[in-house]
Amino acid sequence: MFQPVKDWFAQKNWKPFPYQQKAWKAFRDGKSGLIHVPTGSGKTYAATMGPIASMLEKPKKGLKLLYLTPLRAVSRDIEQALRLPIESQGWPLKVESRTGDTSGSRKQKQLKNPPDILITTPESLSVLLSREGSGAFFSNLQCVVVDEWHELMGGKRGSQTELCLAHLRFLVPSLRTWMLSATIGNLDEAASCGAGTHGEAEIITAKINRKTRIQTLVPNSLDSFPWAGHLGLTMLPELLESLDRETSTLIFTNTRSQCERWYQALKEACPEMDDQLALHHSSIDRADREAIESRVKEGSLKWVVCTSSLDLGIDFHPVERVVQIGSAKAVARLLQRAGRSAHYPEGRSEILFVPTNSLELAEISAIRRVLKDGGLEKRVPQQKPFDVLMQHLVTLACGDGFCAEAYLEVIRSAHSFRDLTEEEYDWLLTFLEKGGKSLKAYPQYRKLVREEGVYKIAGKDLARLHRMSIGTIVSDAEIQIRYTNRRKIGTIEEYFISRLKRGDVFVFSGRMLEFLRLHDMSAYVKPAKKSSKVVPAWIGGRIPITDLLSEALRRQLNHSHSGDKPVDTEMKILDPVLQTQQRLSMIPSENELLIEQVISREGRHLFVFPFEGRFVHEGLAALWSMRFVQREPSTFSVSVNDYGFELLAPVDYPFEEGLDEVMAADPEELEAQVADAVNLSELTQRRFRGVAQVAGLVFQGYPGSRKTEKQLQMSTSLLHGVFEEFEPEHLLLQQARDEVLEIQLEAPRLRKSLERMQNLNVIWKNPPRPTPLAFPLLVERMSARMTNETLMQRIDRMKRQWEKY
């Protein structure tokens, strides 16, 4: 069966890895599962050559292999990789892609004459299922491969994919599904999510000799190295010395704003690299991004400053080196980015870490230790996202329809919905058919009709509007940036553009642009004659350290607490700072919670260091503030980072007297405590907007004429108010509230943190000035009200004052 595949491998002077042959045999035996091997080790051929061999042995018409990828850009690489053996061997197979970039005529041809292999995205698969005759279209399907499963699994796109796979198994019971990943920690759960709850999953791994070499670009002197901040531009001279103008390099940043700033800095410092230097992030126009990707593959671009837009499986064989600006905040993210270099079996990935502040040296040291121990972050699947299920049911109703009684078990076979109750299912169907208690008078919410026991869409107009809204990715309203000749440059969030006035200059896509006017969700600009340092800021750019990394960081600091001599290069460099921390206060061990109190002209500062990550500290700061206020009313200013949080109160506030009462919290009552501590109603209303969009309760507008941020907010606010007043048990309201607690405030991790803190020894210190651990929290608070230039001047002044101590 596999001889044609083996012949092609031999022709290429390749030898199949044992894990690849194991995967082929598992497919032959009718199994589904997960392939988890390092990036660049041949996962694509491991998952696809078994189905291809089966097609060659028993030819059939129609679609046989469906390949899902989270990124449209990756689909082009996958198509090229599969065309290579098919065209060189003359196999009678046709492979095509179908994404949002595919022309309408090509899509129509695919529906009439399906290719043997189709590469698409989860959203495009849902659109296919919304077409009448989808059952016949997929009737000969043998296998579905889902690439980069770690990227999908933890979000709503993963739940959407699970539901689609469950439906395909319902249509073709013999269907085999294979998930691919290189960076996931909970393999059993990941495999179960892919194979469905009614089937067994096989996990295929391999010990492939693919090493990752992490180097740290150390500052020449800690005296001139910042203790806080996240831009890292102070390391520009050192980075320029280490970069090779002939070596193809990807320079990763964590945010789009940081990406723009680093590109400008490199461009100004190396004007001779202008034609070999590029910028790549998700807000840049697609055509420009694709041109950059092509030039990287050709080798004509040497340095590309980028974000997570180039994290995933695009194969850049010329790339020899990767640079990471600032901490990656996750072990898996660093490993994924490192894998962009030497992207071939048994290649050695190289990544150069550029710290943006002193304490990030401890983070990269902790990542080294986790990698040495083989640790990776877990991806937790969503639990019953009702908005995704509502969208999916309407999608099926637009196509061949579904029988309500028989379909509940199909839905439960998707891991995310395994606990769906009959009552919840009946409620969803009633809402979709009749609009529920609150919206039954409005025909646009009565989307389904029941015909002879089968649910179908209520009208062609509803089907057309639904297809335009399929998908689970929700973002703030985006404005198209265009030149006056209407040429697209990219997109930017509405709130940034709304603050600009005519003549303002800003930096975007590496260009100096002058704002002219805003019209029909497009911002018209022209090339600016003067320069500016104003860079757009995108909401949600800050990412917290993961649970795995926070534990490793606490262990790393525990070594310093114990007086162990530093072994890692990073910890040796950081040692003077940690020694200063020990002299002024202390370095907490794993069993200690350090609390520092400092009095300044601003007031009384309380610094608390649980080392649990930014989002957890936001929840802790809110809880502590509420409890302190309940005991002694006052006004607090709050700042948080990945290491701890700060409460700033009037100078005479008695923090110490109320500490025991504040810490005596019951983790089991966390939900009620958080609801009291934060404005949960306001947060739920904001979250509800995204839930309502995915569920199809609000129409986001036609292509090229999207609704504005204000229009969407008004629509969802109205619905939220109606449900709260007349239907408080509405499942989408409950979902929005749960998402705030479980995702936005990380309640499970917060609960775990509270339980851990109950067992810690509290160490109270009163240093004369903010310590090296406290200093970044001061900067975090100041950054909210200062420009970058003013902030850096203030930091330098504070640092000089601090050095006296």
Side-chain angles (χ1 to χ4, degrees):
M1 174 179 176
F2 304 120
Q3 195 57 46
V5 174
K6 292 179 179 179
D7 289 344
W8 177 69
F9 267 72
Q11 187 182 73
K12 299 286 292 182
N13 292 320
W14 295 347
K15 184 178 180 181
F17 287 113
Y19 91 87
Q20 290 176 319
Q21 298 186 65
K22 185 177 180 181
W24 302 342
K25 292 175 182 176
F27 170 83
R28 181 195 60 192
D29 296 339
K31 296 179 180 179
S32 298
L34 169 73
I35 299 175
H36 188 266
V37 295
T39 185
S41 299
K43 291 188 295 294
T44 299
Y45 289 140
T48 58
M49 285 303 172
I52 285 175
S54 175
M55 296 179 214
L56 295 174
E57 185 179 49
K58 298 178 181 179
K60 288 182 182 179
K61 288 186 176 181
L63 177 66
K64 271 87 70 181
L65 172 60
L66 186 67
Y67 195 109
L68 298 184
T69 171
L71 286 182
R72 288 180 292 185
V74 177
S75 67
R76 294 189 299 272
D77 287 338
I78 300 299
E79 184 175 346
Q80 290 174 7
L82 295 181
R83 282 183 182 277
L84 183 63
I86 290 173
E87 293 177 356
S88 69
Q89 299 298 101
W91 293 337
L93 301 176
K94 184 166 65 173
V95 54
E96 293 182 2
S97 296
R98 184 186 181 95
T99 67
D101 302 333
T102 308
S103 67
S105 60
R106 169 60 63 185
K107 289 180 179 179
Q108 287 300 318
K109 289 179 181 178
Q110 290 172 347
L111 292 175
K112 296 176 182 177
N113 184 21
D116 300 281
I117 303 169
L118 185 64
I119 303 157
T120 189
T121 62
E123 291 77 16
S124 292
L125 172 57
S126 290
V127 173
L128 280 171
L129 293 176
S130 75
R131 303 288 181 185
E132 291 188 8
S134 60
F137 183 83
F138 291 109
S139 60
N140 288 323
L141 190 63
Q142 297 178 9
C143 181
V144 180
V145 175
V146 183
D147 204 358
E148 309 288 358
W149 181 228
H150 56 274
E151 187 68 21
L152 294 170
M153 177 181 159
K156 290 184 180 181
R157 294 184 81 197
S159 301
Q160 177 189 28
T161 304
E162 287 182 48
L163 287 170
C164 290
L165 293 178
H167 185 71
L168 292 175
R169 291 190 198 96
F170 172 68
L171 296 176
V172 187
S174 62
L175 182 70
R176 286 147 282 187
T177 54
W178 283 92
M179 311 292 114
L180 309 184
S181 178
T183 53
I184 202 164
N186 47 331
L187 297 184
D188 289 335
E189 188 172 26
S192 176
C193 285
T197 57
H198 295 171
E200 294 184 5
E202 179 157 338
I203 299 173
I204 295 177
T205 60
K207 293 182 179 180
I208 293 178
N209 186 27
R210 182 176 175 84
K211 297 180 179 179
T212 300
R213 182 189 179 201
I214 303 175
Q215 292 179 295
T216 299
L217 190 62
V218 298
N220 293 328
S221 170
L222 274 181
D223 294 337
S224 59
F225 192 57
W227 299 337
H230 66 280
L231 289 179
L233 289 172
T234 54
M235 293 293 290
L236 178 61
E238 286 89 342
L239 179 60
L240 288 173
E241 289 181 14
S242 67
L243 288 176
D244 186 344
R245 285 165 169 75
E246 299 301 322
T247 299
S248 183
T249 305
L250 297 181
I251 303 171
F252 280 101
T253 62
N254 289 336
T255 68
R256 286 169 283 186
S257 296
Q258 189 183 25
C259 184
E260 293 274 0
R261 291 181 185 278
W262 268 93
Y263 173 78
Q264 286 296 323
L266 288 168
K267 187 177 179 181
E268 292 172 7
C270 302
E272 71 279 4
M273 290 290 293
D274 187 54
D275 62 336
Q276 294 183 305
L277 173 65
L279 173 70
H280 191 292
H281 59 70
S282 59
S283 291
I284 295 173
D285 186 63
R286 176 174 55 84
D288 291 340
R289 294 200 308 269
E290 290 177 356
I292 291 168
E293 292 163 14
S294 296
R295 290 189 62 196
V296 173
K297 293 176 183 178
E298 294 167 1
S300 59
L301 271 179
K302 293 303 181 185
W303 300 348
V304 179
V305 188
C306 55
T307 62
S308 56
S309 58
L310 291 183
D311 267 6
L312 301 181
I314 302 176
D315 291 339
F316 292 133
H317 291 296
V319 173
E320 300 172 59
R321 198 181 194 193
V322 169
V323 174
Q324 170 66 42
I325 306 293
S327 170
K329 302 296 180 182
V331 178
R333 186 177 296 113
L334 186 79
L335 206 58
Q336 186 76 27
R337 291 179 175 179
R340 297 306 96 205
S341 67
H343 197 82
Y344 50 84
E346 298 189 352
R348 186 177 77 166
S349 299
E350 288 197 12
I351 188 163
L352 177 66
F353 170 64
V354 181
T356 63
N357 62 67
S358 299
L359 291 177
E360 282 189 341
L361 292 167
E363 288 187 40
I364 193 64
S365 181
I367 287 176
R368 283 182 189 276
R369 288 179 177 267
V370 173
L371 286 175
K372 186 177 180 181
D373 296 338
L376 283 172
E377 284 87 4
K378 296 180 180 180
R379 304 298 173 104
V380 181
Q382 298 261 312
Q383 298 301 316
K384 293 193 291 190
F386 297 117
D387 55 346
V388 179
L389 180 54
M390 287 177 66
Q391 183 186 113
H392 180 69
L393 292 175
V394 177
T395 295
L396 298 182
C398 291
D400 295 336
F402 64 95
C403 178
E405 290 75 14
Y407 208 71
L408 176 58
E409 284 307 309
V410 178
I411 295 171
R412 284 174 173 166
S413 71
H415 188 276
S416 293
F417 296 95
R418 64 193 183 281
D419 298 324
L420 185 72
T421 66
E422 286 190 33
E423 292 77 14
E424 291 167 337
Y425 182 55
D426 290 340
W427 186 95
L428 290 170
L429 290 175
T430 301
F431 182 80
L432 290 172
E433 185 179 8
K434 301 177 180 179
K437 297 178 183 178
S438 308
L439 304 177
K440 58 186 177 182
Y442 302 92
Q444 66 266 36
Y445 297 109
R446 301 197 298 268
K447 298 189 175 186
L448 304 187
V449 293
R450 195 164 185 173
E451 301 173 352
E452 299 179 358
V454 176
Y455 277 106
K456 299 283 289 183
I457 196 70
K460 290 184 178 180
D461 288 342
L462 284 174
R464 180 168 53 86
L465 294 178
H466 175 76
R467 290 189 184 103
M468 286 191 287
S469 302
I470 284 177
T472 62
I473 301 174
V474 177
S475 62
D476 291 312
E478 292 189 331
I479 304 292
Q480 288 281 351
I481 302 180
R482 300 174 183 268
Y483 286 123
T484 50
N485 64 3
R486 298 190 62 81
R487 178 178 174 270
K488 292 181 182 179
I489 307 173
T491 58
I492 203 165
E493 289 175 1
E494 184 179 5
Y495 92 100
F496 173 78
I497 287 292
S498 65
R499 298 185 301 169
L500 298 181
K501 60 182 183 296
R502 185 180 178 89
D504 284 350
V505 177
F506 63 98
V507 181
F508 179 80
S509 189
R511 304 172 173 98
M512 294 292 172
L513 303 174
E514 181 179 337
F515 176 67
L516 299 177
R517 68 184 186 278
L518 180 64
H519 180 68
D520 288 342
M521 297 298 284
S522 290
Y524 290 92
V525 299
K526 68 178 183 180
K529 295 180 180 179
K530 56 184 179 181
S531 63
S532 172
K533 293 185 178 180
V534 176
V535 174
W538 283 266
I539 294 174
R542 305 298 291 274
I543 51 179
I545 58 173
T546 60
D547 195 10
L548 178 68
L549 185 53
S550 65
E551 291 179 11
L553 185 59
R554 290 195 296 269
R555 288 196 301 270
Q556 193 75 339
L557 292 176
N558 189 61
H559 292 299
S560 299
H561 168 85
S562 304
D564 296 345
K565 192 173 181 180
V567 177
D568 295 343
T569 302
E570 296 85 5
M571 296 306 291
K572 288 179 181 179
I573 298 166
L574 188 59
D575 191 53
V577 175
L578 295 179
Q579 292 300 322
T580 304
Q581 172 69 32
Q582 183 70 33
R583 187 172 67 252
L584 288 176
S585 173
M586 69 167 296
I587 301 171
S589 70
E590 289 182 277
N591 301 317
E592 295 172 334
L593 175 66
L594 173 62
I595 299 177
E596 296 176 350
Q597 181 177 252
V598 177
I599 297 174
S600 72
R601 288 181 297 178
E602 293 183 294
R604 186 176 294 263
H605 306 256
L606 188 74
F607 299 103
V608 186
F609 301 103
F611 294 93
E612 291 283 5
R614 173 181 295 274
F615 292 165
V616 171
H617 294 155
E618 286 179 355
L620 287 174
L623 287 172
W624 280 42
S625 298
M626 179 194 70
R627 293 181 192 139
F628 274 124
V629 167
Q630 289 173 342
R631 188 181 183 282
E632 183 77 26
S634 186
T635 302
F636 297 132
S637 293
V638 177
S639 68
V640 301
N641 64 14
D642 282 320
Y643 312 127
F645 61 91
E646 174 204 20
L647 303 181
L648 174 60
V651 71
D652 58 349
Y653 192 83
F655 276 127
E656 196 164 3
E657 294 177 13
L659 184 63
D660 291 340
E661 189 176 329
V662 167
M663 292 196 63
D666 184 358
E668 297 302 319
E669 299 177 2
L670 177 66
E671 186 171 316
Q673 294 167 357
V674 170
D676 290 338
V678 302
N679 189 347
L680 189 60
S681 178
E682 174 66 22
L683 292 176
T684 299
Q685 184 173 332
R686 293 179 188 174
R687 195 82 187 188
F688 179 77
R689 197 191 84 179
V691 171
Q693 286 177 246
V694 173
L697 298 189
V698 291
F699 182 54
Q700 300 174 54
Y702 296 95
S705 182
R706 311 297 286 180
K707 287 188 176 182
T708 65
E709 182 88 4
K710 186 178 293 186
Q711 288 170 331
L712 288 173
Q713 190 63 49
M714 287 176 63
S715 299
T716 54
S717 295
L718 181 62
L719 286 171
H720 183 269
V722 168
F723 292 153
E724 273 203 325
E725 184 173 355
F726 300 105
E727 205 172 352
E729 74 281 5
H730 202 288
L731 289 185
L732 296 185
L733 276 185
Q734 296 178 27
Q735 180 187 339
R737 189 174 186 272
D738 290 343
E739 284 186 12
V740 169
L741 291 169
E742 302 296 313
I743 299 174
Q744 190 169 338
L745 297 175
E746 291 199 82
R749 192 172 167 188
L750 180 56
R751 186 180 295 110
K752 180 180 175 183
S753 175
L754 283 171
E755 292 172 351
R756 190 180 74 86
M757 289 170 63
Q758 298 269 331
N759 300 315
L760 297 179
N761 298 319
V762 177
I763 310 297
W764 183 282
K765 293 290 183 178
N766 295 284
R769 295 190 71 82
T771 63
L773 284 179
F775 191 84
L777 286 166
L778 292 177
V779 173
E780 191 78 32
R781 181 162 46 79
M782 290 188 296
S783 65
R785 62 179 193 271
M786 295 181 181
T787 65
N788 283 317
E789 291 72 22
T790 305
L791 180 62
M792 293 309 297
Q793 292 172 6
R794 181 72 181 274
I795 291 173
D796 288 341
R797 186 163 65 251
M798 289 173 61
K799 189 174 178 182
R800 287 195 299 271
Q801 293 172 348
W802 184 91
E803 285 171 348
K804 297 176 182 177
Y805 290 82

